[in-house]
Amino acid sequence: MKKKIVASLLSVMMVASLVACGGSSSGDTTETDTAETATEETAEAETEEAETAEADTTEEAEEGAEESSETASDIDTSEHVVITYMTTGGKPTNGATEEMLDELNAILTEKVNAELQIYYIDWTNYLSVYNLTLAQMDGTVDLVGTATDWLDAWPNAKNGAFLELSEDMLKTYCPQTYESVSQEHWDLCKYNGEIYLIPEDNYAQWTNHGFSYRLDWAKEAGLENGVHSWEDMTTYFKYVKEAYPDIIPWDSDGTQYATMVGGWISSHSNYVSIDGLNSGAMWGGTKDDLYTIYSPYVTDTDSLVEFAKLMKEWDEIGVWKTDVLNNTASTNRDDFRIGKVAAEQHHTQTWTDLCSPTASNLIYDESSEYYDEDAETGFFYFGEEMDNLVALSITHGAMAVSAASENPERALMVYDLIRNDEECYKLFNYGIQGKQWDVDDSGLRVTPETYNSETDAITTNFWWGRNDDLEIRSAELNWDAIDSLYADYDKIKIDYPYGQFIPEVDEIQAYIDNITEIHTNYMKQIAFGKYSGTAEEIVAEYQQALKDAGIDTVTAALQEQIDALYK
Amino acid sequence: MESKSVTKKGKVQTSQMTFGQKIWRNRTLLFMCLPAIVFFIAFSYAPLPGIWVAFVKYNYRDGIFGSKFVGMQNFEFLAQSGKLLQLTKNTILYNLAFIILGNLVAVVMAILLNEMQSKIFKKVSQTMMFLPYFISQVLVGLLVFNLLNYDTGFVNTILVKLGMEPWGPYSDKGVWPVLLVIIHLWQTTGYNSVVYFASICGIDEEIVEAARVDGANGWQKIWYIILPSLKPTVVILLLFALGGIVKGNFGLFYNVVGTNPLLYDTTDIIETYVYRATMTDFNFSTASAVGLYQSIIGFLMVMITNFIVKKIEPDYSLF
């Protein structure tokens, strides 16, 4: 009897352990970077010229729609098809998105006899899940939201995951989009002469990083004009730590190292990095000499030493928690909204939210216990000291068509509508008018009083074709502050200069992987002041490790490719 | 059929049966094996040709066998890192500690369980030991972090309350080999001891009875009867474990240590390194190359150990 019990116990365990094998996923919280806030971006998608554009573009859009339906009538759409659109973001559960899709699909069915469904890639390990889904190549998805800088667009194009979009195809099935994107911009979406991506090139946004901080506290600290340099930031953190002992100045997690050192370098040199090589963005040129490739991580030794010293100082001030490198459960941004931390490192787009009296920013909400009547949020952007600012690449968001799609033509037709057709665009981006959004007297977009963000919010995360011609400004945002910062940006910005450069990395990928690993390991210690020994020693050790891993070989290889392209 | 010879008892001699006859005769046993056979064919043998992916530049559209052959290029990455030796060393040393200590503790626990008189206490302690095995590694990682972190950890809160200096294991690489082994033992001892407990239960009661009649005390019973009868189980489990000696426990290391470079010297294993280094570039081929490297070493380990076991005690070898 005993044996039988043990035997059955054992077999149960075997089964259990087999099941457990598949289930033990890693709780990885890689840097969601741009992506994370983008959830908010759609909710309050801003425009630069929406007000002026609104009136006259409506007509244009309608005209365009007629045109396209004429062309579309020549195309065989007799078979009803379902187009699956893949995006990054958590799958909504409240049913509001489906309700919106029903309405949208009625329109899509009428116009192109197709309906749209959304395939979500959850933020947990999003990059690997995203790549794996594409690698399946079984026709699961048709339209793929992608990006050259944060969603591996080029590696996937090279791997054969995306369909080549011929100009004829685009002209026929995506006529409005084809017209609106300039030839120059199409050229930036080509690899080996073929177009793979449809860029989001008519949408103003800034995703350069920096620190959002409490302007009111900075003023108390004696910084009357706010924080405008890393040194000011030090003063600010010191003051906060003394004046508000309950507040963690910045509850960072261990993933911020690359942005911090990258920010430091753009604040102290004219370095312009090449996107998409590695997470450290370790190669590039300078504003004055764009096509001589170097890595500031090898050459700017003094600057790095200074950085290491300052971060050691920050660590000693107690800017972050002692075990910051193992801290994966930080809720810094939410804490910022309720005044429990004093800074948030992210990009301008996030700041536009944090500085505005939106529903979740309780520090501005009189009825909330977290209300602080002086609360104001300023932004110190990396590169401010040197006026070193690069505008966003147009392929920071782009749409691709999966090579395994069974209905690529219809997918393009659907995309053309949700990008350019006013009705479809607003449904897909904002939701149902009167339920998710409405327009107030001044022509700004508001949420209706009946709106409840838990039950009514929609998630489409359409960051691959937003269109300023159709955008309506949100009434919630602090446009005075935002417009003034954007105006400053426009004075100093340069366009992303390497748009046409798609590095061929097969030969050097092994070097790059190892360099990334070294960079990560050392920079985590340096950027959070956790190294032992002096700043000079650790920087020297780091640079030696980079050299041993062959960083000069990579730089030379990139130089060769840049020369071939631009000289 | 033609050469059917019949023995005195009327049974067909196995050596003279055809393959088909053997199958027919053992049909019930074979049928019972079928799920396992199907499982291994489907998940172990059928995917074997896929090893090829480690030697090509994998392209989604061309597939595994259509992609460009690049020879050993995918293996270069491991060699270039200059860390292969250290990583392999870490992986093997940790696994050795896990295997040796794990089995040792499990055997001791199994014997202790066996010697317990109170049935309720036995069951309760067995269950308590068993439970950690089912906790996800992610939770284990969180649990450890909440116990040990510097600012708000359980251990430090107590130390500070007692007027002592707080302890910072997350910036002290020296303590991790010990910590990780303890965590691993805490997780797996319950499971392993059940296996040994099962084989202790399988020992013929008559032998124990006879020993008792001969006047053997508790220690002697353990030393002369239980331990020798556990030997085959230990050897087989060891052999299995050695096959995976270069395969690190990714879940444990990744979730407990996380991506804290201060601790890598003593905690970085092949899996965690490869995960970090290739996450950025999502390269199936490199990952497969690493997997193949580990499998080959694992295969060699099994062959060598099996050979040694065969020399010493032929009955205990696997094949």
Side-chain angles (χ1 to χ4, degrees):
Chain A
M1 196 56 208
K2 209 179 195 178
K3 264 190 207 170
K4 269 188 191 164
I5 294 171
V6 174
S8 50
L9 190 65
L10 269 174
S11 48
V12 168
M13 260 170 34
M14 291 305 269
V15 175
S17 61
L18 281 178
V19 174
C21 280
S24 64
S25 70
S26 53
D28 180 39
T29 47
T30 33
E31 194 191 3
T32 48
D33 202 15
T34 344
E36 206 171 68
T37 33
T39 324
E40 290 134 32
E41 286 172 26
T42 18
E44 59 222 23
E46 312 87 35
T47 32
E48 288 250 75
E49 301 119 308
E51 280 164 289
T52 47
E54 201 203 354
D56 39 62
T57 45
T58 322
E59 277 174 44
E60 271 173 36
E62 273 165 9
E63 272 171 28
E66 275 162 33
E67 264 170 38
S68 85
S69 58
E70 272 167 26
T71 340
S73 60
D74 305 333
I75 304 162
D76 176 25
T77 55
S78 53
E79 189 195 354
H80 183 77
V81 297
V82 177
I83 299 300
T84 308
Y85 146 71
M86 169 161 127
T87 189
T88 44
K91 190 177 166 67
T93 49
N94 58 14
T97 308
E98 286 77 1
E99 197 184 326
M100 176 280 291
L101 279 178
D102 285 345
E103 245 178 73
L104 178 68
N105 283 334
I107 302 172
L108 292 178
T109 305
E110 186 195 323
K111 290 196 169 162
V112 295
N113 199 18
E115 60 182 281
L116 188 67
Q117 65 181 29
I118 308 181
Y119 186 95
Y120 295 91
I121 302 287
D122 196 81
W123 286 126
T124 310
N125 263 337
Y126 70 94
L127 193 57
S128 21
V129 181
Y130 175 86
N131 282 322
L132 269 178
T133 313
L134 286 178
Q136 283 173 3
M137 294 287 284
D138 57 357
T140 318
V141 294
D142 301 293
L143 287 168
V144 181
T146 188
T148 51
D149 47 356
W150 63 281
L151 278 176
D152 288 355
W154 290 131
N156 277 310
K158 288 182 202 169
N159 280 340
F162 297 153
L163 190 71
E164 296 84 357
L165 305 169
S166 69
E167 306 220 353
D168 282 344
M169 230 175 140
L170 289 166
K171 270 182 214 160
T172 319
Y173 301 109
C174 234
Q176 296 184 65
T177 311
Y178 184 75
E179 281 305 310
S180 68
V181 176
S182 67
Q183 198 54 45
E184 198 183 317
H185 285 175
W186 283 123
D187 285 344
L188 300 179
C189 299
K190 282 182 182 169
Y191 173 66
N192 276 349
E194 298 279 358
I195 296 172
Y196 284 93
L197 311 171
I198 307 174
E200 179 182 80
D201 66 339
N202 186 26
Y203 181 71
Q205 63 169 343
W206 287 92
T207 60
N208 59 315
H209 279 245
F211 280 108
S212 295
Y213 61 92
R214 288 289 293 272
L215 189 55
D216 48 327
W217 291 345
K219 283 177 184 160
E220 289 171 27
L223 303 162
E224 274 311 317
N225 297 317
V227 173
H228 293 288
S229 69
W230 285 78
E231 288 69 31
D232 290 353
M233 209 67 211
T234 314
T235 317
Y236 171 72
F237 278 141
K238 260 188 198 157
Y239 168 77
V240 170
K241 189 75 190 172
E242 280 166 22
Y244 301 94
D246 291 343
I247 281 170
I248 308 167
W250 175 35
D251 187 12
S252 177
D253 59 27
T255 62
Q256 309 256 1
Y257 61 94
T259 334
M260 282 168 73
V261 69
W264 171 270
I265 284 178
S266 44
S267 280
H268 294 85
S269 71
N270 277 322
Y271 175 64
V272 177
S273 67
I274 301 173
D275 283 345
L277 278 167
N278 74 352
S279 57
M282 293 169 70
W283 292 271
T286 59
K287 255 162 72 172
D288 326 305
D289 185 5
L290 286 166
Y291 304 124
T292 303
I293 302 306
Y294 79 114
S295 173
Y297 297 91
V298 178
T299 58
D300 297 5
T301 312
D302 294 344
S303 176
L304 286 174
V305 169
E306 216 181 305
F307 175 69
K309 284 182 180 159
L310 188 69
M311 291 306 109
K312 191 96 177 169
E313 191 183 336
W314 284 20
D315 186 42
E316 280 157 7
I317 294 173
V319 169
W320 40 70
K321 285 183 184 159
T322 315
D323 287 333
V324 55
L325 294 179
N326 278 79
N327 186 6
T328 52
S330 163
T331 51
N332 192 71
R333 190 171 307 157
D334 293 330
D335 291 344
F336 190 88
R337 299 181 197 280
I338 56 173
K340 297 242 183 223
V341 298
E344 160 74 0
Q345 189 282 116
H346 210 260
H347 51 50
T348 307
Q349 197 78 7
T350 304
W351 168 77
T352 61
D353 168 40
L354 290 177
C355 73
S356 304
T358 62
S360 45
N361 293 336
L362 298 177
I363 39 174
Y364 310 116
D365 182 355
E366 275 177 54
S367 62
S368 154
E369 55 176 313
Y370 301 109
Y371 178 63
D372 183 342
E373 58 174 338
D374 300 325
E376 256 184 291
T377 301
F379 191 63
F380 157 56
Y381 58 94
F382 297 143
E384 185 166 352
E385 294 98 320
M386 298 288 288
D387 286 348
N388 182 4
L389 183 68
V390 180
L392 192 62
S393 141
I394 56 163
T395 48
H396 177 74
M399 192 64 99
V401 178
S402 166
S405 169
E406 282 168 15
N407 300 297
E409 299 85 8
R410 213 73 73 80
L412 286 173
M413 292 165 87
V414 168
Y415 176 73
D416 209 31
L417 286 176
I418 53 176
R419 175 172 168 142
N420 299 298
D421 182 275
E422 193 178 5
E423 198 183 4
C424 295
Y425 185 87
K426 284 176 182 163
L427 258 178
F428 198 54
N429 284 292
Y430 305 144
I432 299 164
Q433 186 164 10
K435 184 160 185 196
Q436 272 89 13
W437 64 286
D438 225 326
V439 181
D440 69 6
D441 301 337
S442 49
L444 294 175
R445 183 160 50 88
V446 290
T447 47
E449 273 173 31
T450 52
Y451 179 81
N452 175 336
S453 61
E454 266 172 40
T455 53
D456 298 333
I458 62 160
T459 311
T460 56
N461 296 356
F462 186 63
W463 310 317
W464 341 97
R466 278 168 294 182
N467 188 346
D468 271 349
D469 298 342
L470 300 176
E471 284 281 331
I472 312 169
R473 274 193 163 195
S474 163
E476 265 188 340
L477 293 190
N478 184 353
W479 286 107
D480 291 345
I482 297 169
D483 283 341
S484 111
L485 185 68
Y486 281 8
D488 288 349
Y489 281 178
D490 282 332
K491 275 182 226 146
I492 57 167
K493 70 165 181 193
I494 61 164
D495 281 332
Y496 177 66
Y498 305 110
Q500 267 178 308
F501 177 52
I502 300 159
E504 286 298 338
V505 291
D506 287 354
E507 301 298 320
I508 46 176
Q509 188 64 55
Y511 293 104
I512 294 179
D513 286 347
N514 284 320
I515 288 166
T516 309
E517 169 65 11
I518 289 164
H519 180 67
T520 307
N521 291 351
Y522 280 94
M523 269 313 150
K524 280 192 173 181
Q525 302 178 45
I526 294 173
F528 291 103
K530 298 291 183 191
Y531 54 90
S532 47
T534 66
E536 285 83 0
E537 282 164 10
I538 190 79
V539 171
E541 201 184 315
Y542 160 74
Q543 291 180 329
Q544 190 56 48
L546 287 181
K547 287 204 177 103
D548 293 346
I551 193 166
D552 295 334
T553 316
V554 177
T555 311
L558 291 173
Q559 183 67 59
E560 213 173 283
Q561 295 181 25
I562 287 274
D563 287 350
L565 183 64
Y566 292 105
K567 277 187 183 166
Chain B
M1 286 288 186
E2 63 272 30
S3 66
K4 193 196 271 178
S5 77
V6 180
T7 57
K8 284 171 195 165
K9 286 175 185 169
K11 277 192 179 171
V12 181
Q13 225 154 40
T14 2
S15 56
Q16 281 158 341
M17 289 193 313
T18 62
F19 184 65
Q21 282 172 318
K22 282 187 200 167
I23 288 188
W24 181 246
R25 180 148 161 225
N26 296 318
R27 59 188 178 278
T28 325
L29 280 177
L30 282 173
F31 184 69
M32 285 164 68
C33 281
L34 200 63
I37 294 170
V38 170
F39 178 87
F40 279 108
I41 289 177
F43 293 104
S44 297
Y45 291 99
L48 266 184
I51 290 176
W52 188 247
V53 77
F55 301 96
V56 299
K57 166 92 191 68
Y58 182 56
N59 180 304
Y60 301 167
R61 234 182 282 183
D62 302 333
I64 294 175
F65 299 102
S67 296
K68 195 176 134 218
F69 179 76
V70 294
M72 300 299 280
Q73 199 185 312
N74 294 320
F75 293 84
E76 274 169 25
F77 145 78
L78 263 187
Q80 268 173 9
S81 72
K83 285 196 163 178
L84 189 56
L85 268 183
Q86 197 217 337
L87 292 171
T88 313
K89 189 189 89 189
N90 275 354
T91 315
I92 290 181
L93 286 182
Y94 269 109
N95 278 333
L96 270 183
F98 289 167
I99 293 168
I100 294 171
L101 284 174
N103 282 296
L104 205 69
V105 176
V107 169
V108 172
M109 285 299 169
I111 292 172
L112 289 179
L113 280 174
N114 187 49
E115 296 301 312
M116 276 176 196
Q117 299 299 327
S118 158
K119 229 178 181 166
I120 297 172
F121 184 60
K122 190 195 275 184
K123 290 287 161 207
V124 170
S125 48
Q126 209 177 342
T127 315
M128 296 283 281
M129 271 164 52
F130 204 46
L131 278 179
Y133 183 76
F134 294 103
I135 300 178
S136 141
Q137 301 280 20
V138 180
L139 291 181
V140 173
L142 277 179
L143 216 65
V144 173
F145 184 71
N146 281 315
L147 279 178
L148 298 181
N149 86 66
Y150 191 88
D151 297 308
T152 53
F154 177 78
V155 173
N156 273 349
T157 316
I158 293 187
L159 287 179
V160 172
K161 284 261 158 68
L162 293 175
M164 288 193 276
E165 285 287 303
W167 179 47
Y170 283 102
S171 46
D172 179 4
K173 61 186 180 192
V175 300
W176 283 93
V178 180
L179 282 176
L180 284 166
V181 170
I182 293 177
I183 297 165
H184 180 81
L185 288 181
W186 169 75
Q187 268 209 292
T188 55
T189 300
Y191 173 83
N192 289 336
S193 67
V194 168
V195 178
Y196 288 112
F197 188 56
S199 52
I200 291 177
C201 292
I203 298 171
D204 195 344
E205 282 294 319
E206 280 178 32
I207 306 176
V208 183
E209 205 72 10
R212 198 174 297 149
V213 172
D214 286 350
N217 62 22
W219 276 115
Q220 284 168 325
K221 184 180 96 187
I222 292 171
W223 193 252
Y224 293 108
I225 297 172
I226 296 185
L227 283 180
S229 5
L230 282 181
K231 217 155 86 183
T233 318
V234 175
V235 171
I236 286 174
L237 284 183
L238 269 184
L239 278 176
F240 282 143
L242 285 173
I245 197 158
V246 267
K247 290 213 167 28
N249 187 341
F250 177 79
L252 176 73
F253 284 79
Y254 185 74
N255 286 301
V256 174
V257 178
T259 49
N260 180 347
L262 298 176
L263 311 177
Y264 286 163
D265 278 351
T266 57
T267 61
D268 213 11
I269 56 173
I270 300 177
E271 271 77 4
T272 47
Y273 181 83
V274 170
Y275 176 77
R276 291 197 312 271
T278 53
M279 267 305 282
T280 41
D281 120 59
F282 211 76
N283 192 332
F284 292 103
S285 293
T286 316
S288 311
V290 177
L292 187 59
Y293 163 78
Q294 291 175 308
S295 299
I296 288 172
I297 295 197
F299 177 72
L300 290 177
M301 290 299 287
V302 171
M303 294 307 279
I304 293 169
T305 338
N306 193 55
F307 178 75
I308 296 171
V309 171
K310 212 168 180 174
K311 281 267 141 141
I312 304 167
E313 198 101 36
D315 290 349
Y316 295 165
S317 66
L318 275 176
F319 45 86

